[in-house]
Amino acid sequence: MDTYTAPLRDIRFVLEHVTPLSELTALEDLAHAEPELVAGLLEEAGRFAAQAIAPTNREGDEQGATLVDGEVVTPESFKRVYQQYVDAGWGAVQHPPEFGGGGFPLTVANAVKELITSANMAFSLGPLLTTGAVYLMVHHASEEQKRTYLPRMVSGEWAGTMNLTEPQAGSDVGAVTTRAEPVGDGTYRITGQKIYITFGEHDLTEQIVHLVLARLPDAPPGTKGISLFIVPKFLVNEDGSLGERNDVHAVSLEHKLGIHASPTCVMAYGEDSDGAIGELVGAPNDGMRLMFTMMNDARLGVGLQGLAIAERAYQQSLAFAQERRQGRGPTDAPGEQVPIIEHPDVRRMLLTMKAYIDAIRGLCYANAHALDLAEHHPDASVREHQQKLADLLTPLSKAWGTDLGVELTSLAVQVHGGMGYVEETGVAQHFRDARIAPIYEGTNGIQAMDLVGRKLPYDGGAFVKGVFEEIRADVDGLPDACRDIGAALAAAVDELATTTDWLFTRRESLADVLAAATPYLRMFATVVGGWQLAKGAAAAQRLLDAGHTDAYGTGFLEARLTVARFYATQLLPQVHGLAPAVMAGADDLFAVTAEQLAP
Amino acid sequence: MDTYTAPLRDIRFVLEHVTPLSELTALEDLAHAEPELVAGLLEEAGRFAAQAIAPTNREGDEQGATLVDGEVVTPESFKRVYQQYVDAGWGAVQHPPEFGGGGFPLTVANAVKELITSANMAFSLGPLLTTGAVYLMVHHASEEQKRTYLPRMVSGEWAGTMNLTEPQAGSDVGAVTTRAEPVGDGTYRITGQKIYITFGEHDLTEQIVHLVLARLPDAPPGTKGISLFIVPKFLVNEDGSLGERNDVHAVSLEHKLGIHASPTCVMAYGEDSDGAIGELVGAPNDGMRLMFTMMNDARLGVGLQGLAIAERAYQQSLAFAQERRQGRGPTDAPGEQVPIIEHPDVRRMLLTMKAYIDAIRGLCYANAHALDLAEHHPDASVREHQQKLADLLTPLSKAWGTDLGVELTSLAVQVHGGMGYVEETGVAQHFRDARIAPIYEGTNGIQAMDLVGRKLPYDGGAFVKGVFEEIRADVDGLPDACRDIGAALAAAVDELATTTDWLFTRRESLADVLAAATPYLRMFATVVGGWQLAKGAAAAQRLLDAGHTDAYGTGFLEARLTVARFYATQLLPQVHGLAPAVMAGADDLFAVTAEQLAP
């Protein structure tokens, strides 16, 4: 029942007509990512995800990862599938060719990530963390560090991790206390503990390269005194072979609500020695800045998880709704039971899932598209503009994508009725797995603060207003047949602009701005999602008008229009219900004490 | 960390100032439920729930219920606590004195249910089902059946269950195929299987009395051919002692997302014989009607589960937010970390939980209040009116209470950050437990269909419009200091009235009406919740104005005002965002085929 089909046609449509890959391949850096090559790549990735990885999902949940004598054991099927992943080079897609990477746009690499995450979110986290570590090292490690670590990390033979969180330093990363003492030979001795380290230890690779935030002895307090270190599980000999075991160990695993097969480790450094041996990356006390350079990539990657898990839960729900028979449709005569997809309310659930999934996909792919242009466009002003756009979209992708991941997997449980609550059905796992994504990689509250605090003020507000103008221009350019979509989108962007103006009037009252953050982010993302769907609807309408339906099929194109109209007229208007909360200010929030709120 | 405090002051405030218990005790039937007696009862129930039951919640989740050689084993602590429950007579509160019950209003019994459910939802389900069975038998069983079963079911010495669902008959109960053959001696032989039978078998009581829906040999098809039978686990001898084991057995248990300690059984009747021995309740083929008489009570009971589990998760979140330190508040100077409750976004989460909880409590207690008046008021026209009101409120209590149960426990996970995803913290259990409630006792989609299909048409629409007028009259009567609450509520009820009018214009198009059902229910319940909060705010304002603050404390009363204002100005406006979905019609839902929606 819980099978998975790679939604290649949906993805291809976005890459051709919503956030065109052709705009990327027009650039010299990315010219090799030709449409046919990309199509073949995605097809292959889809096959691997659906046929090899997807069947491991439930087994992974049941077996989980376990800690046995200090070693983390992953489910048996993971080892086989991970080896296939390395052999096919899936981890290398987005990385630079000089280290063995495919040099594909992030947009394409993210499509691959979506497929693999839908297939098995817990499994996907290992590669995701490695990708993040590679990204960071490509940009900031020394030539020697790159030479030593990157080729085998890009290939996936070695894994990478991110070690930030400590018990007292979660959202507040500046409170990190792990220490790094210089030894004098260029290396450092790292001592301390980290928590919530995803794939901090496992048996999928012979080597794990930990990127660790720690403080030098003379470091200033807060985020300005944090440095970044490479701490490999095994020291690497001159000849590249693995040497001594470093003193970094997983001392326990968390027992979690979901992603059971992803080992979430408490890591100890230097418990049995003077410290784990580490190498500094970049300059002393510059660790937070280095981490920030990979933040968009990492946060977008988590937003994609919301999309990916919702897509899988949606597919299962759609299949179930066609098989399961109960009751009669509103216009049926008494008699046989009908498939529940004939009931309006079940259709509403399915269309809600489909519309939001398409909207999140549009948003996340637009986000990756902006990151690609920001990195590869020859014109500096374009790069700067696209970087700002990516910065703006990232908190939306992360928070909205993952909040909806939870909401849509919950709808998927509901479509299944009683069977949805039974673990064997598999849909409850998606609901459990999805629940982590609003929390890690910066909680969604942090994303909302980032949006209103850091991103809105770009160019004194002119940047975000420019985005609204872009949306309005696209509304004006919609074909006549999409008029109702355009009207709803225009009203929504006006509402968003009104609340944005209000936020600028309150710039002096940080509490008011922060109090608005979460409903404002929801509004903003809902509008941007609707924008992407409207673009797709316009393209679908034009293809239909021109009779160019061969590449997708008339049915697919008509469904794009229906889904976009459903979203615009039935989901997008929720922004009007959120605006009052945005403009309410913080007074009522702080008018009660904790004691008054207690029973 | 995951302790529980009975919210007695909140409950007392509702019973004194929102849905006054005094209106019930003014009736002869209920005159004995004096305020002090009720206060003492609730205090005692709160102590029992918090001190005896609440500590069993996590253990119950971890141990779960298991099937060992055909017998269901519940967690060890359940046996001890259940015995205390029986000894104290908690199961008897709402039942008639003639069978040993307390004869208290349902309103009071539901308050007790709320406390026990907050303490341990899985545990509470056993007593809940027994209560439902007693309710049904009090109204429909023969005198002899009552004499035989009721005293020990009311006391809780014997348990009761409801056996409706079969694999092909979930929402579509009319599809039941379990057979009942008359033997000729007044008894029947029951054969077949039922699924999802809550506490269908367990070790808490010596006897379990199953109420089973089955078909007589000559029964007409569909719901009109279903009869109701008593099938006791042990036959009862003339002298009341337990006799032979009846051929009804649990053949397997479901492995569920949550409520692990509540055994969800597949029940088999007559596997080892000609059939389990059953007695007919009421007339042949009248089973569905009899079941329907307990539907309001049962559905309201499930709505209360949403409230109860949200309350517990909220309490845990509030405590965590005061202990956990991260970052600085918007107006704090750099330095020490502050409790996260100082962050506006965390406050928004907590106030959202608190406001919705108070609103659901208002709704559910108003619902019980209407049921009590409908049963006990001497004036037939009042009884009729209150029955209609209860009928209208019941789908709101059930669906909105349980949808919010999921949403608010999800917020509770979010408040906890990474710790929320770790099972040891306990809040993830609430999230898992809460997820069943939108599904069972009629899915929330069924509730919404019930609202638009059966309840709205009362008196050709005049009844529901009368409710809107009642709300408007209450708005007009609000003290000046509650003007902003009144304005928001007036606008919301106008929006609800507009969508209601639209629904009446579409009476001929059942698909349009059913397509609107879920967003319409959400709107309706959000308004009724706001109405209850506004009533409470008015009362709080009047007590403050009069200086009568002793009974609650000034801080409590001021918090009622703030929470009600927060709800009215920041949550209630969401109804405006839902109205377009209500009035969209079914066309877009049916404009796509399943094939077009598939990847």
Side-chain angles (χ1 to χ4, degrees), chain A residues 5-7 9-10 58 166-172 175 196 254-259 311 314-315 318 322 324-327 330 337 341-345 347-348 350-351 354 406 410-411 413-414 417-424 428 431-436 438-439 443-445 510-511 514-519 554-556 558-559 562-563 565-566 569-570 573-574 576-578 580-581 584-585 588-599, chain B residues 5-7 9-10 58 166-172 175 196 254-259 311 314-315 318 322 324-327 330 337 341-345 347-348 350-351 354 406 410-411 413-414 417-424 428 431-436 438-439 443-445 510-511 514-519 554-556 558-559 562-563 565-566 569-570 573-574 576-578 580-581 584-585 588-599:
Chain A
T5 304
R9 194 164 49 164
D10 289 302
R58 176 122 183 83
E166 300 174 13
Q168 79 294 347
S171 295
D172 191 359
Y196 301 151
E254 304 297 347
H255 173 219
K256 304 187 301 297
L257 173 61
I259 51 168
E311 168 74 34
Y314 163 71
Q315 289 189 15
L318 181 63
Q322 293 173 77
R324 172 71 174 164
R325 290 173 169 267
Q326 281 288 278
Q337 292 179 321
I341 194 171
E342 294 311 321
H343 297 301
D345 196 60
R347 284 202 166 239
R348 172 174 294 286
L350 293 171
L351 254 92
K354 176 62 175 159
V406 176
S410 184
L411 265 188
V413 170
Q414 192 67 19
M419 290 175 75
Y421 204 65
V422 173
E423 286 285 2
E424 279 77 1
F431 177 64
R432 289 187 286 99
D433 287 350
R435 192 62 194 76
I436 185 58
I439 295 172
T443 67
N444 286 358
L510 187 54
L514 295 179
T518 287
T554 305
F556 175 87
E558 285 173 347
T562 300
V563 168
R565 191 168 53 240
F566 172 78
T569 59
Q570 301 201 44
Q574 289 176 15
H576 305 296
L578 292 169
D588 276 337
L589 296 180
F590 286 92
V592 279
T593 63
E595 292 67 36
Q596 284 175 321
L597 287 173
Chain B
T5 303
R9 194 164 50 164
D10 290 301
R58 176 117 182 87
E166 299 174 13
Q168 78 294 347
S171 295
D172 190 358
Y196 301 151
E254 304 297 347
H255 173 220
K256 306 187 300 297
L257 173 60
I259 50 167
E311 167 74 33
Y314 163 71
Q315 289 189 15
L318 181 63
Q322 293 173 77
R324 173 69 174 164
R325 291 174 169 268
Q326 281 290 275
Q337 292 180 322
I341 195 171
E342 294 310 320
H343 297 301
D345 196 60
R347 283 202 167 239
R348 172 174 295 285
L350 293 171
L351 255 91
K354 176 63 175 159
V406 176
S410 184
L411 265 188
V413 171
Q414 193 67 18
M419 290 175 75
Y421 205 65
V422 172
E423 286 285 1
E424 279 78 359
F431 178 64
R432 289 188 285 100
D433 287 352
R435 193 62 193 78
I436 186 58
I439 295 172
T443 66
N444 286 359
L510 187 55
L514 295 179
T518 287
T554 305
F556 175 86
E558 284 173 348
T562 301
V563 168
R565 192 168 53 240
F566 173 78
T569 58
Q570 302 201 43
Q574 289 177 14
H576 305 296
L578 292 168
D588 276 338
L589 296 180
F590 286 93
V592 280
T593 64
E595 292 66 37
Q596 284 175 322
L597 287 173

